[in-house]
Amino acid sequence: MAQLNDKAVGAVLLAIGTFVFTYYSIWTLVIPFVDVEQPIRKLFPPQWFAIAIPVFLLVVGVTGIFGFLSFVMLQSGKKAAKKST
């Protein structure tokens, strides 16, 4: 039963990832060549966000990773200091 649930979650995550990849690819590679008057342009945010959103996510992700590593290193340093005394 658990395998079926895992497969369903995996299928949903794959579908979301495929949708996001396709949407972002169209937004960055196709929409700049479409006329401003076309109604399809209303489905996409301004081009500035195509760079700002990934940069923001990258900064938040790297900050989170280094924050986690710093926390782990501080905790292991405290344990090593406690063992040596």
Side-chain angles (χ1 to χ4, degrees):
M1 185 70 168
Q3 276 186 338
L4 183 62
N5 191 21
D6 290 343
K7 286 184 179 183
V9 170
V12 168
L13 290 176
L14 180 64
I16 290 171
T18 303
F19 172 75
V20 169
F21 176 76
T22 305
Y23 182 85
Y24 186 77
S25 296
I26 292 171
W27 182 24
T28 56
L29 299 174
V30 176
I31 293 300
F33 300 106
V34 175
D35 288 336
V36 178
E37 298 86 26
Q38 295 294 324
I40 194 168
R41 299 275 305 218
K42 294 178 183 175
L43 298 174
F44 298 92
Q47 291 299 117
W48 184 83
F49 288 111
I51 302 300
I53 292 172
V55 167
F56 174 75
L57 292 175
L58 183 66
V59 168
V60 169
V62 169
T63 302
I65 290 169
F66 281 115
F68 174 75
L69 289 175
S70 301
F71 177 74
V72 169
M73 290 174 66
L74 288 172
Q75 292 298 323
S76 65
K78 288 179 183 178
K79 286 181 182 178
K82 190 182 283 187
K83 284 184 181 180
S84 64
T85 58

Coordinates of all heavy atoms in Angstrom, one line a residue:
M1 N 0.8 -1.2 0.0 CA 0.0 0.0 0.0 C 0.9 1.3 0.0 O 0.5 2.2 -0.6 CB -0.9 0.0 1.2 CG -1.9 1.1 1.3 SD -3.1 0.8 0.0 CE -4.3 2.0 0.5
A2 N 2.0 1.2 0.7 CA 2.8 2.4 0.8 C 3.5 2.7 -0.5 O 3.7 3.9 -0.9 CB 3.9 2.2 1.9
Q3 N 3.8 1.7 -1.3 CA 4.4 1.9 -2.6 C 3.5 2.6 -3.5 O 3.9 3.5 -4.3 CB 4.8 0.6 -3.3 CG 6.1 0.0 -2.8 CD 6.5 -1.2 -3.6 OE1 5.7 -1.9 -4.2 NE2 7.8 -1.5 -3.6
L4 N 2.2 2.3 -3.5 CA 1.2 3.0 -4.3 C 1.1 4.5 -4.0 O 1.1 5.3 -4.9 CB -0.1 2.3 -4.2 CG -1.3 2.9 -5.1 CD1 -0.9 2.7 -6.6 CD2 -2.6 2.2 -4.8
N5 N 1.2 4.8 -2.7 CA 1.1 6.1 -2.2 C 2.4 6.9 -2.7 O 2.3 8.0 -3.1 CB 1.0 6.2 -0.7 CG 0.7 7.6 -0.2 OD1 0.2 8.4 -1.0 ND2 1.0 7.8 1.0
D6 N 3.6 6.2 -2.6 CA 4.8 6.9 -3.0 C 4.8 7.1 -4.5 O 5.3 8.2 -5.0 CB 6.0 6.0 -2.6 CG 6.2 5.9 -1.1 OD1 5.7 6.8 -0.4 OD2 7.0 5.0 -0.7
K7 N 4.3 6.2 -5.2 CA 4.2 6.4 -6.7 C 3.3 7.5 -7.1 O 3.5 8.3 -8.0 CB 3.8 5.1 -7.4 CG 4.8 4.1 -7.4 CD 4.4 2.8 -8.2 CE 5.4 1.8 -8.3 NZ 5.0 0.6 -9.1
A8 N 2.2 7.7 -6.3 CA 1.2 8.8 -6.6 C 1.9 10.1 -6.3 O 1.7 11.1 -7.1 CB 0.0 8.6 -5.8
V9 N 2.6 10.2 -5.2 CA 3.3 11.4 -4.8 C 4.3 11.7 -5.8 O 4.5 12.9 -6.3 CB 3.9 11.3 -3.4 CG1 4.8 12.5 -3.1 CG2 2.8 11.2 -2.3
G10 N 5.1 10.7 -6.3 CA 6.1 10.9 -7.3 C 5.5 11.4 -8.6 O 6.1 12.3 -9.3
A11 N 4.4 10.8 -9.0 CA 3.7 11.3 -10.2 C 3.2 12.7 -10.1 O 3.4 13.5 -11.1 CB 2.6 10.3 -10.5
V12 N 2.7 13.1 -9.0 CA 2.2 14.5 -8.8 C 3.4 15.4 -8.9 O 3.4 16.5 -9.5 CB 1.4 14.6 -7.5 CG1 1.2 16.1 -7.2 CG2 0.1 13.9 -7.6
L13 N 4.5 15.1 -8.2 CA 5.7 16.0 -8.2 C 6.3 16.1 -9.6 O 6.8 17.1 -10.0 CB 6.7 15.4 -7.2 CG 6.4 15.6 -5.7 CD1 7.5 15.0 -4.9 CD2 6.2 17.1 -5.4
L14 N 6.3 15.0 -10.3 CA 6.8 15.0 -11.7 C 5.9 15.9 -12.6 O 6.4 16.7 -13.4 CB 6.8 13.6 -12.3 CG 7.3 13.5 -13.7 CD1 8.8 13.9 -13.8 CD2 7.2 12.0 -14.2
A15 N 4.6 15.8 -12.4 CA 3.7 16.6 -13.2 C 3.9 18.1 -12.9 O 3.9 19.0 -13.8 CB 2.2 16.2 -12.9
I16 N 4.1 18.4 -11.6 CA 4.3 19.8 -11.2 C 5.6 20.3 -11.8 O 5.7 21.4 -12.3 CB 4.2 20.0 -9.7 CG1 2.8 19.8 -9.2 CG2 4.8 21.3 -9.2 CD1 2.7 19.7 -7.6
G17 N 6.6 19.5 -11.7 CA 7.9 19.9 -12.2 C 7.9 20.1 -13.7 O 8.5 21.1 -14.2
T18 N 7.2 19.2 -14.4 CA 7.1 19.4 -15.9 C 6.3 20.6 -16.2 O 6.7 21.4 -17.2 CB 6.4 18.1 -16.4 OG1 7.1 17.0 -16.1 CG2 6.3 18.2 -17.9
F19 N 5.3 20.9 -15.5 CA 4.5 22.1 -15.8 C 5.3 23.4 -15.5 O 5.3 24.3 -16.4 CB 3.2 22.2 -14.9 CG 2.5 23.5 -15.0 CD1 1.7 23.8 -16.1 CD2 2.6 24.4 -14.0 CE1 1.1 25.0 -16.2 CE2 1.9 25.7 -14.1 CZ 1.2 25.9 -15.2
V20 N 6.0 23.4 -14.4 CA 6.9 24.6 -14.1 C 8.0 24.8 -15.1 O 8.2 25.9 -15.6 CB 7.5 24.5 -12.7 CG1 8.5 25.5 -12.4 CG2 6.4 24.6 -11.6
F21 N 8.6 23.7 -15.5 CA 9.7 23.8 -16.5 C 9.1 24.3 -17.9 O 9.7 25.2 -18.5 CB 10.3 22.4 -16.7 CG 11.4 22.4 -17.8 CD1 12.6 22.9 -17.6 CD2 11.1 21.8 -19.0 CE1 13.6 22.9 -18.6 CE2 12.0 21.8 -20.0 CZ 13.3 22.4 -19.8
T22 N 8.0 23.8 -18.3 CA 7.4 24.2 -19.6 C 7.0 25.6 -19.5 O 7.2 26.4 -20.4 CB 6.2 23.3 -19.9 OG1 6.6 21.9 -19.9 CG2 5.6 23.6 -21.2
Y23 N 6.3 26.0 -18.4 CA 5.8 27.4 -18.3 C 7.0 28.4 -18.3 O 7.0 29.4 -19.0 CB 5.1 27.6 -17.0 CG 4.5 28.9 -16.7 CD1 3.3 29.3 -17.3 CD2 5.2 29.9 -16.0 CE1 2.7 30.6 -17.1 CE2 4.6 31.1 -15.7 CZ 3.4 31.5 -16.3 OH 2.9 32.7 -16.1
Y24 N 8.1 28.1 -17.5 CA 9.2 29.0 -17.5 C 10.0 29.0 -18.8 O 10.4 30.1 -19.2 CB 10.2 28.5 -16.3 CG 11.3 29.4 -16.1 CD1 11.2 30.6 -15.4 CD2 12.6 29.1 -16.6 CE1 12.2 31.5 -15.2 CE2 13.7 30.0 -16.4 CZ 13.5 31.2 -15.7 OH 14.5 32.0 -15.5
S25 N 10.1 27.9 -19.5 CA 10.7 27.8 -20.8 C 10.0 28.7 -21.8 O 10.6 29.5 -22.6 CB 10.8 26.4 -21.3 OG 11.7 25.7 -20.4
I26 N 8.6 28.6 -21.8 CA 7.9 29.4 -22.7 C 8.0 30.9 -22.4 O 8.2 31.7 -23.2 CB 6.4 28.9 -22.7 CG1 6.3 27.6 -23.4 CG2 5.5 30.0 -23.5 CD1 4.9 26.9 -23.2
W27 N 8.0 31.2 -21.1 CA 8.0 32.5 -20.6 C 9.3 33.2 -21.0 O 9.4 34.4 -21.4 CB 7.9 32.5 -19.1 CG 7.9 33.8 -18.3 CD1 7.6 35.0 -18.8 CD2 8.2 34.0 -17.0 NE1 7.7 36.0 -17.9 CE2 8.1 35.4 -16.7 CE3 8.5 33.2 -15.9 CZ2 8.3 35.9 -15.4 CZ3 8.8 33.7 -14.7 CH2 8.6 35.1 -14.4
T28 N 10.5 32.5 -20.9 CA 11.7 33.1 -21.1 C 12.2 33.0 -22.6 O 13.0 33.8 -23.0 CB 12.8 32.5 -20.2 OG1 12.9 31.1 -20.4 CG2 12.6 32.8 -18.8
L29 N 11.7 31.9 -23.3 CA 12.3 31.7 -24.7 C 11.3 32.1 -25.8 O 11.8 32.4 -26.9 CB 12.6 30.2 -24.8 CG 13.7 29.7 -23.9 CD1 13.9 28.2 -24.0 CD2 15.0 30.4 -24.1
V30 N 10.0 32.1 -25.5 CA 9.0 32.4 -26.6 C 8.4 33.7 -26.4 O 8.3 34.5 -27.4 CB 8.0 31.3 -26.6 CG1 6.9 31.6 -27.7 CG2 8.6 29.9 -26.9
I31 N 8.0 34.1 -25.2 CA 7.2 35.3 -25.0 C 7.9 36.6 -25.4 O 7.3 37.5 -25.9 CB 6.7 35.4 -23.5 CG1 5.7 34.2 -23.3 CG2 6.1 36.7 -23.2 CD1 4.5 34.3 -24.2
P32 N 9.3 36.7 -25.2 CA 9.9 37.9 -25.7 C 9.7 38.2 -27.2 O 9.9 39.4 -27.6 CB 11.4 37.7 -25.4 CG 11.4 36.7 -24.3 CD 10.2 35.8 -24.5
F33 N 9.4 37.2 -28.0 CA 9.3 37.4 -29.4 C 7.8 37.6 -29.8 O 7.5 37.7 -31.0 CB 9.9 36.2 -30.2 CG 11.3 36.0 -29.9 CD1 11.8 35.0 -29.1 CD2 12.2 36.9 -30.4 CE1 13.1 34.9 -28.8 CE2 13.6 36.8 -30.2 CZ 14.0 35.8 -29.4
V34 N 6.9 37.6 -28.9 CA 5.5 37.7 -29.1 C 5.1 39.2 -29.0 O 5.6 39.9 -28.1 CB 4.6 36.9 -28.2 CG1 3.1 37.2 -28.4 CG2 4.9 35.4 -28.3
D35 N 4.3 39.7 -29.9 CA 3.9 41.1 -29.8 C 3.2 41.5 -28.5 O 2.5 40.6 -27.9 CB 2.9 41.5 -31.0 CG 3.6 41.5 -32.3 OD1 4.8 41.7 -32.3 OD2 2.9 41.3 -33.3
V36 N 3.4 42.7 -28.1 CA 2.8 43.2 -26.8 C 1.3 43.1 -26.8 O 0.7 42.9 -25.8 CB 3.3 44.6 -26.5 CG1 2.8 45.1 -25.2 CG2 4.9 44.6 -26.4
E37 N 0.7 43.3 -28.0 CA -0.8 43.4 -28.1 C -1.4 42.0 -28.0 O -2.7 41.9 -27.8 CB -1.2 44.0 -29.4 CG -0.7 45.5 -29.5 CD 0.7 45.5 -30.1 OE1 1.1 44.6 -30.8 OE2 1.3 46.5 -29.9
Q38 N -0.7 40.9 -28.1 CA -1.3 39.6 -28.1 C -1.8 39.3 -26.7 O -1.2 39.5 -25.7 CB -0.2 38.5 -28.5 CG 0.3 38.7 -29.9 CD -0.8 38.4 -30.9 OE1 -1.7 37.6 -30.7 NE2 -0.8 39.2 -32.0
P39 N -3.0 38.6 -26.6 CA -3.6 38.3 -25.3 C -2.8 37.2 -24.5 O -3.0 37.2 -23.3 CB -5.0 37.8 -25.7 CG -5.0 37.5 -27.1 CD -3.9 38.3 -27.7
I40 N -2.0 36.5 -25.2 CA -1.2 35.4 -24.4 C -0.2 36.1 -23.5 O 0.2 35.5 -22.5 CB -0.5 34.5 -25.4 CG1 -0.1 33.2 -24.7 CG2 0.6 35.1 -26.1 CD1 0.4 32.1 -25.6
R41 N 0.2 37.3 -23.8 CA 1.1 38.0 -22.9 C 0.5 38.2 -21.5 O 1.3 38.4 -20.5 CB 1.6 39.3 -23.5 CG 2.2 39.3 -24.8 CD 3.7 39.1 -24.7 NE 4.4 40.0 -23.9 CZ 5.6 40.4 -24.3 NH1 6.1 40.1 -25.4 NH2 6.3 41.2 -23.4
K42 N -0.8 38.2 -21.4 CA -1.4 38.5 -20.1 C -1.3 37.3 -19.1 O -1.5 37.4 -17.9 CB -2.9 38.8 -20.2 CG -3.1 40.1 -20.9 CD -4.6 40.3 -21.2 CE -4.8 41.6 -21.9 NZ -6.2 41.9 -22.3
L43 N -0.9 36.1 -19.7 CA -0.7 34.9 -18.9 C 0.6 34.8 -18.2 O 0.8 34.0 -17.3 CB -0.9 33.6 -19.8 CG -2.2 33.4 -20.4 CD1 -2.2 32.2 -21.4 CD2 -3.3 33.2 -19.4
F44 N 1.5 35.7 -18.5 CA 2.9 35.7 -18.0 C 3.2 37.0 -17.3 O 2.8 38.1 -17.8 CB 3.9 35.5 -19.1 CG 3.7 34.1 -19.8 CD1 2.9 34.0 -20.9 CD2 4.3 33.0 -19.3 CE1 2.7 32.8 -21.6 CE2 4.1 31.8 -19.9 CZ 3.3 31.7 -21.1
P45 N 4.0 37.0 -16.2 CA 4.4 38.2 -15.6 C 5.5 38.9 -16.4 O 6.0 38.4 -17.4 CB 5.1 37.8 -14.3 CG 4.7 36.3 -14.1 CD 4.3 35.8 -15.5
P46 N 5.9 40.1 -16.1 CA 6.9 40.8 -16.8 C 8.2 40.0 -16.9 O 8.5 39.3 -16.0 CB 7.1 42.1 -16.0 CG 5.8 42.3 -15.3 CD 5.3 41.0 -15.0
Q47 N 9.0 40.3 -17.9 CA 10.3 39.5 -18.1 C 11.3 39.7 -16.9 O 12.1 38.8 -16.7 CB 10.9 40.0 -19.4 CG 10.2 39.5 -20.6 CD 10.1 38.0 -20.7 OE1 9.0 37.5 -20.7 NE2 11.2 37.4 -20.9
W48 N 11.2 40.8 -16.2 CA 12.1 41.1 -15.1 C 12.0 40.0 -14.1 O 13.0 39.6 -13.5 CB 11.8 42.5 -14.5 CG 12.7 42.9 -13.4 CD1 13.9 43.4 -13.6 CD2 12.5 42.7 -12.0 NE1 14.5 43.6 -12.4 CE2 13.7 43.2 -11.4 CE3 11.5 42.2 -11.3 CZ2 13.8 43.2 -10.0 CZ3 11.6 42.1 -9.9 CH2 12.8 42.7 -9.3
F49 N 10.8 39.5 -13.9 CA 10.6 38.4 -12.9 C 11.3 37.1 -13.3 O 11.5 36.3 -12.4 CB 9.2 38.2 -12.6 CG 8.6 39.4 -11.8 CD1 7.6 40.2 -12.4 CD2 8.9 39.6 -10.5 CE1 7.1 41.2 -11.7 CE2 8.3 40.6 -9.7 CZ 7.4 41.4 -10.3
A50 N 11.5 36.9 -14.6 CA 12.1 35.7 -15.1 C 13.5 35.5 -14.5 O 14.0 34.4 -14.4 CB 12.1 35.6 -16.6
I51 N 14.2 36.6 -14.2 CA 15.5 36.6 -13.6 C 15.4 36.8 -12.1 O 16.2 36.1 -11.4 CB 16.4 37.7 -14.3 CG1 16.5 37.5 -15.8 CG2 17.8 37.7 -13.6 CD1 17.1 36.2 -16.2
A52 N 14.5 37.6 -11.6 CA 14.5 38.0 -10.2 C 14.1 36.8 -9.4 O 14.6 36.5 -8.3 CB 13.6 39.1 -10.0
I53 N 13.1 36.0 -9.8 CA 12.6 34.9 -9.0 C 13.6 33.8 -8.9 O 13.9 33.4 -7.7 CB 11.3 34.3 -9.6 CG1 10.2 35.3 -9.5 CG2 10.9 33.0 -9.0 CD1 8.9 35.0 -10.2
P54 N 14.3 33.3 -9.9 CA 15.4 32.3 -9.7 C 16.5 32.8 -8.9 O 17.1 32.1 -8.1 CB 15.8 31.9 -11.1 CG 14.7 32.3 -12.0 CD 14.0 33.5 -11.4
V55 N 16.9 34.1 -9.0 CA 18.0 34.6 -8.2 C 17.6 34.7 -6.8 O 18.4 34.3 -5.9 CB 18.4 36.0 -8.7 CG1 19.3 36.7 -7.8 CG2 19.1 35.9 -10.1
F56 N 16.4 35.1 -6.5 CA 15.9 35.1 -5.1 C 15.9 33.7 -4.5 O 16.3 33.5 -3.4 CB 14.5 35.7 -5.0 CG 13.9 35.7 -3.7 CD1 14.3 36.5 -2.7 CD2 12.9 34.7 -3.4 CE1 13.7 36.4 -1.4 CE2 12.3 34.7 -2.2 CZ 12.7 35.5 -1.2
L57 N 15.4 32.7 -5.3 CA 15.3 31.4 -4.8 C 16.7 30.8 -4.6 O 17.0 30.1 -3.6 CB 14.5 30.5 -5.7 CG 13.0 30.8 -5.8 CD1 12.4 29.9 -6.9 CD2 12.4 30.5 -4.5
L58 N 17.7 31.2 -5.4 CA 19.0 30.7 -5.3 C 19.7 31.3 -4.0 O 20.3 30.6 -3.2 CB 19.8 31.1 -6.5 CG 21.3 30.6 -6.5 CD1 21.4 29.1 -6.6 CD2 22.0 31.2 -7.7
V59 N 19.5 32.6 -3.8 CA 20.0 33.2 -2.6 C 19.4 32.6 -1.3 O 20.1 32.3 -0.3 CB 19.8 34.7 -2.6 CG1 20.1 35.4 -1.3 CG2 20.7 35.4 -3.7
V60 N 18.1 32.4 -1.3 CA 17.4 31.8 -0.1 C 17.9 30.4 0.1 O 18.2 30.0 1.2 CB 15.9 31.9 -0.3 CG1 15.2 31.0 0.8 CG2 15.4 33.3 -0.2
G61 N 18.1 29.6 -1.0 CA 18.5 28.2 -0.9 C 19.9 28.1 -0.4 O 20.2 27.3 0.5
V62 N 20.8 28.9 -0.9 CA 22.2 28.9 -0.5 C 22.3 29.4 1.0 O 23.1 28.8 1.8 CB 23.1 29.7 -1.4 CG1 24.5 30.0 -0.9 CG2 23.2 29.1 -2.8
T63 N 21.6 30.4 1.3 CA 21.6 30.9 2.7 C 21.1 29.8 3.7 O 21.7 29.6 4.7 CB 20.7 32.1 2.9 OG1 21.2 33.1 2.0 CG2 20.7 32.7 4.3
G64 N 20.0 29.1 3.3 CA 19.5 28.0 4.1 C 20.5 26.9 4.3 O 20.7 26.3 5.4
I65 N 21.2 26.5 3.2 CA 22.2 25.4 3.2 C 23.3 25.8 4.2 O 23.7 25.0 5.0 CB 22.7 25.1 1.8 CG1 21.6 24.4 1.0 CG2 23.9 24.2 1.9 CD1 21.9 24.2 -0.4
F66 N 23.9 27.0 4.0 CA 25.0 27.4 4.8 C 24.6 27.7 6.3 O 25.3 27.4 7.2 CB 25.7 28.7 4.3 CG 26.6 28.3 3.1 CD1 26.3 28.8 1.8 CD2 27.7 27.5 3.3 CE1 27.2 28.5 0.8 CE2 28.6 27.2 2.3 CZ 28.3 27.7 1.0
G67 N 23.3 28.1 6.5 CA 22.8 28.2 7.8 C 22.7 26.9 8.5 O 23.1 26.7 9.7
F68 N 22.2 25.9 7.8 CA 22.1 24.5 8.3 C 23.5 24.0 8.6 O 23.8 23.4 9.7 CB 21.4 23.6 7.4 CG 21.4 22.2 7.8 CD1 20.6 21.8 8.8 CD2 22.2 21.3 7.2 CE1 20.5 20.5 9.2 CE2 22.2 19.9 7.6 CZ 21.4 19.5 8.6
L69 N 24.5 24.2 7.7 CA 25.8 23.7 7.9 C 26.5 24.4 9.1 O 27.2 23.7 9.9 CB 26.7 23.9 6.7 CG 26.4 23.0 5.5 CD1 27.2 23.4 4.3 CD2 26.6 21.5 5.8
S70 N 26.3 25.6 9.3 CA 26.8 26.4 10.4 C 26.2 25.8 11.7 O 26.9 25.6 12.7 CB 26.5 27.9 10.3 OG 27.1 28.4 9.2
F71 N 24.9 25.6 11.7 CA 24.2 25.1 12.9 C 24.8 23.7 13.3 O 25.1 23.4 14.5 CB 22.7 25.0 12.7 CG 22.0 24.4 13.8 CD1 21.7 25.1 15.0 CD2 21.5 23.1 13.7 CE1 21.0 24.5 16.0 CE2 20.8 22.5 14.7 CZ 20.6 23.2 15.9
V72 N 25.0 22.8 12.3 CA 25.5 21.5 12.6 C 27.0 21.6 13.1 O 27.3 20.9 14.0 CB 25.4 20.6 11.3 CG1 26.2 19.3 11.5 CG2 24.0 20.3 11.0
M73 N 27.8 22.5 12.5 CA 29.1 22.6 12.9 C 29.2 23.1 14.4 O 30.0 22.7 15.2 CB 29.9 23.5 12.0 CG 30.2 22.8 10.6 SD 30.9 23.9 9.4 CE 32.5 24.2 10.2
L74 N 28.4 24.1 14.7 CA 28.3 24.6 16.1 C 27.9 23.5 17.1 O 28.5 23.4 18.2 CB 27.4 25.8 16.2 CG 28.0 27.1 15.5 CD1 26.9 28.2 15.5 CD2 29.2 27.6 16.2
Q75 N 26.9 22.7 16.7 CA 26.4 21.7 17.6 C 27.5 20.6 17.8 O 27.7 20.1 18.9 CB 25.2 21.1 17.1 CG 24.0 22.0 17.1 CD 23.6 22.4 18.5 OE1 23.7 21.7 19.4 NE2 23.2 23.7 18.6
S76 N 28.2 20.2 16.7 CA 29.3 19.2 16.9 C 30.4 19.8 17.7 O 31.1 19.0 18.4 CB 29.7 18.7 15.5 OG 30.3 19.8 14.8
G77 N 30.7 21.1 17.5 CA 31.8 21.7 18.3 C 31.4 21.7 19.8 O 32.3 21.5 20.7
K78 N 30.2 21.9 20.1 CA 29.8 21.9 21.5 C 29.8 20.5 22.1 O 30.3 20.3 23.3 CB 28.3 22.4 21.7 CG 28.2 23.9 21.5 CD 26.7 24.3 21.6 CE 26.6 25.8 21.3 NZ 25.2 26.3 21.4
K79 N 29.5 19.5 21.3 CA 29.6 18.1 21.8 C 31.0 17.7 22.0 O 31.3 17.0 22.9 CB 28.9 17.2 20.8 CG 27.4 17.2 20.8 CD 26.8 16.3 19.8 CE 25.3 16.4 19.8 NZ 24.7 15.5 18.8
A80 N 31.9 18.1 21.1 CA 33.3 17.8 21.2 C 33.9 18.5 22.4 O 34.7 17.9 23.1 CB 34.1 18.2 19.9
A81 N 33.5 19.7 22.7 CA 34.0 20.4 23.8 C 33.5 19.8 25.1 O 34.3 19.7 26.1 CB 33.6 21.9 23.8
K82 N 32.3 19.3 25.1 CA 31.7 18.7 26.3 C 32.4 17.3 26.6 O 32.7 17.0 27.7 CB 30.2 18.4 26.1 CG 29.5 18.0 27.4 CD 28.0 17.8 27.1 CE 27.3 19.1 27.0 NZ 25.8 18.9 26.9
K83 N 32.8 16.6 25.6 CA 33.5 15.3 25.7 C 34.9 15.5 26.3 O 35.4 14.7 27.0 CB 33.5 14.5 24.4 CG 32.2 13.9 24.1 CD 32.3 13.1 22.8 CE 31.0 12.4 22.4 NZ 31.1 11.6 21.2
S84 N 35.6 16.5 25.8 CA 37.0 16.7 26.2 C 37.1 17.2 27.6 O 38.2 17.2 28.2 CB 37.6 17.7 25.3 OG 37.1 19.0 25.4
T85 N 36.0 17.8 28.2 CA 36.1 18.3 29.6 C 35.7 17.2 30.6 O 35.2 16.2 30.5 CB 35.3 19.5 29.8 OG1 33.9 19.3 29.5 CG2 35.8 20.7 29.0

